[in-house]
Amino acid sequence: MRKRIFLSPPHLGGEEIKEVQKAIQSNWIAPAGPATALFEKKITEYNQTDYCVAVNSGTAAIHLALIVLGVEKGDEVICPTFTFAGSCNPILYQGAVPVFVDAEKESWCLDPQLLEEAIEDRIRLGKKPRAIIVVHLFGMPACMNEIRNVAKKYTIPVVEDAAEALGSVYEGQHAGTLGDIGIYSFNGNKIITTSGGGALVSCNKDWIERARYLSGQARSAVPYYHHETTGYNYQLSNISASIGIGQFSVLNERLKQKRKIFETYQSELKTHGFLFQEENSNTFSNRWITSILMPVKSKNGLNEKIRLALEGQNIESRPLWKPMHLQPAFNQYPSYLSGAAEHLFINGLCLPSGTSLSEEDQEIIIKKLIETAGYTA
Ligand SMILES: *Cc1c(COP(=O)(O)O)cnc(C)c1O
């Protein structure tokens, strides 16, 4: 059997081992440390943002973002229904209520028009949402101008879940720095990894310092252990940050590779009727994962047929996110729907997009895909 081809496996650049060795030799085997501080600096420099705190997951970063924005028990927080559960779980950690909003057809991200309708309706029902979470799905920047206009009109802060979008750009500005506070993930499947990690960025120093304090068990700056509030053990380890420093040196290369993988899929599959998440004049996607929609005229279930055909060759592919409003864990919460997310879930497929994917293997995937579609279209 062929070696398994994964959707988006980690891809080391070579410098990581040296950075980890440095950390070990200096005995910085601790949560936080000089590598963590340097990693934070690399993030702010890369994104041209002001402040950053590194944490141990993207989910932790979203949780801290909601806390510093003052989200409390009973508050409502808007979140796209078409996303990964990591985007909305932190809303529930706070005892707050997620309000799900459907996807916009071009970007597949939060629908600005439906967002406004949802806000109006929540206000009518007696409660203005406390925050809006926007996700740049598969690396594609959301319609930020429209979303920011709505957020501004109702004075609601925007949390940008850029977990999948490091390196993506909107109107010349980096994803994650377009809202009030942004988060990244450095989980093993993301464009660069620390094996597990995340970060919070903002130009609001108070928020980032507050998040840093809470991430270290909320210890006050006194010689003994003194706590004014509940804290969290969310710090990024110095060893993980060392991996991240090594990974940063290959980020631009990874970006080029991800985009090339996308372009190859697109140029060979578009003529067969497959549809893609398209960029527009405002957006530049890191193409973290190439996702396709089945041809308009294809029979239902083609994506599952293709998935099974690829699986038969030991190649991993996966349906797009199952919408949150269809999840047993979340289906009791309010949702504002157009059917777009459900359509994406039913008709989509994420294709292997690891930057270590060889051209030969990508050709095998494309061939299998076209062959499978040919029998059923
Ligand atoms: C990966 C991911 C997260 C969570 O990040 P972790 O580091 O795995 O906690 C959140 N939101 C989205 C959209 C993600 O893809």
Side-chain angles (χ1 to χ4, degrees):
M1 196 57 150
R2 171 215 312 281
K3 209 169 139 227
R4 188 160 175 78
I5 299 175
F6 290 101
L7 213 55
S8 185
H11 185 184
L12 295 180
E15 297 295 311
E16 296 85 357
I17 188 84
K18 277 187 243 162
E19 297 296 334
V20 171
Q21 220 155 20
K22 255 193 254 171
I24 291 173
Q25 275 161 358
S26 61
N27 206 34
W28 272 105
I29 321 296
T36 307
L38 179 58
F39 184 56
E40 288 169 353
K41 189 159 166 271
K42 290 210 177 270
I43 294 169
T44 53
E45 279 174 1
Y46 182 82
N47 284 327
Q48 293 166 306
T49 182
D50 295 333
Y51 304 102
C52 172
V53 57
V55 292
N56 56 17
S57 75
T59 309
I62 297 172
H63 189 198
L64 292 171
L66 296 180
I67 296 172
V68 301
L69 290 176
V71 172
E72 291 177 354
K73 193 172 157 93
D75 284 344
E76 293 188 350
V77 176
I78 292 193
C79 179
T81 187
F82 192 58
T83 188
F84 173 55
S87 302
C88 69
N89 274 327
I91 301 172
L92 294 151
Y93 302 164
Q94 283 308 94
V97 176
V99 173
F100 296 114
V101 172
D102 218 319
E104 183 268 335
K105 286 199 176 67
E106 300 291 315
S107 64
W108 305 0
C109 303
L110 190 68
D111 182 334
Q113 213 178 323
L114 215 46
L115 167 69
E116 179 154 19
E117 285 173 37
I119 294 170
E120 289 270 347
D121 194 51
R122 298 326 290 172
I123 293 172
R124 209 161 28 237
L125 291 170
K127 209 175 257 182
K128 186 172 94 171
R130 197 71 188 70
I132 299 165
I133 298 174
V134 180
V135 186
H136 306 301
L137 274 180
F138 307 117
M140 181 61 74
C143 308
M144 287 308 290
N145 281 335
E146 292 83 351
I147 291 167
R148 283 186 298 208
N149 284 342
V150 173
K152 204 168 156 193
K153 181 170 168 190
Y154 298 92
T155 58
I156 305 172
V158 173
V159 177
E160 253 185 294
D161 176 349
E164 303 171 358
L166 183 67
S168 299
V169 175
Y170 182 86
E171 288 191 337
Q173 221 179 320
H174 279 272
T177 69
L178 302 157
D180 295 283
I181 191 160
I183 76 96
Y184 301 102
S185 166
F186 302 103
N187 191 33
N189 60 347
K190 299 302 189 316
I191 187 161
I192 60 167
T193 183
T194 56
S195 82
L200 205 61
V201 295
S202 177
C203 48
N204 185 317
K205 188 180 182 184
D206 293 341
W207 288 346
I208 296 301
E209 284 319 307
R210 180 80 184 160
R212 186 185 301 286
Y213 159 77
L214 293 171
S215 74
Q217 304 281 24
R219 282 180 62 187
S220 296
V222 293
Y224 47 90
Y225 285 99
H226 180 80
H227 307 276
E228 298 278 346
T229 186
T230 311
Y232 302 86
N233 187 1
Y234 280 171
Q235 285 174 319
L236 183 68
S237 100
N238 197 64
I239 297 284
S240 299
S242 305
I243 300 172
I245 291 167
Q247 285 268 280
F248 245 102
S249 61
V250 291
L251 175 55
N252 284 331
E253 196 182 323
R254 296 288 175 266
L255 205 58
K256 280 195 201 121
Q257 291 164 319
K258 288 277 190 193
R259 287 184 60 88
K260 181 155 180 282
I261 289 167
F262 171 85
E263 279 155 20
T264 302
Y265 279 131
Q266 192 185 40
S267 73
E268 299 199 30
L269 291 175
K270 217 174 172 174
T271 48
H272 292 268
F274 290 96
L275 302 166
F276 291 79
Q277 203 179 14
E278 305 275 359
E279 289 176 331
N280 61 39
S281 58
N282 286 338
T283 55
F284 174 90
S285 170
N286 69 2
R287 297 296 185 189
W288 169 58
I289 283 186
T290 297
S291 305
I292 57 171
L293 291 183
M294 298 303 114
V296 177
K297 287 184 192 148
S298 64
K299 287 200 188 118
N300 286 346
L302 175 60
N303 55 346
E304 180 59 8
K305 264 195 186 115
I306 292 172
R307 192 189 70 76
L308 291 172
L310 293 174
E311 194 54 52
Q313 306 288 308
N314 206 18
I315 297 165
E316 182 182 38
S317 64
R318 194 178 293 161
L320 312 195
W321 306 119
K322 180 173 178 180
M324 293 302 111
H325 73 272
L326 298 177
Q327 304 280 0
F330 308 114
N331 63 11
Q332 68 270 45
Y333 299 112
S335 52
Y336 294 82
L337 306 173
S338 64
E342 226 167 309
H343 175 78
L344 291 166
F345 174 58
I346 291 168
N347 291 293
L349 196 66
C350 296
L351 301 180
S353 307
T355 45
S356 44
L357 183 70
S358 70
E359 284 178 19
E360 293 75 26
D361 282 345
Q362 192 174 7
E363 285 312 316
I364 290 170
I365 295 164
I366 291 168
K367 214 169 137 234
K368 192 80 208 162
L369 225 150
I370 293 171
E371 182 191 300
T372 310
Y375 294 136
T376 54

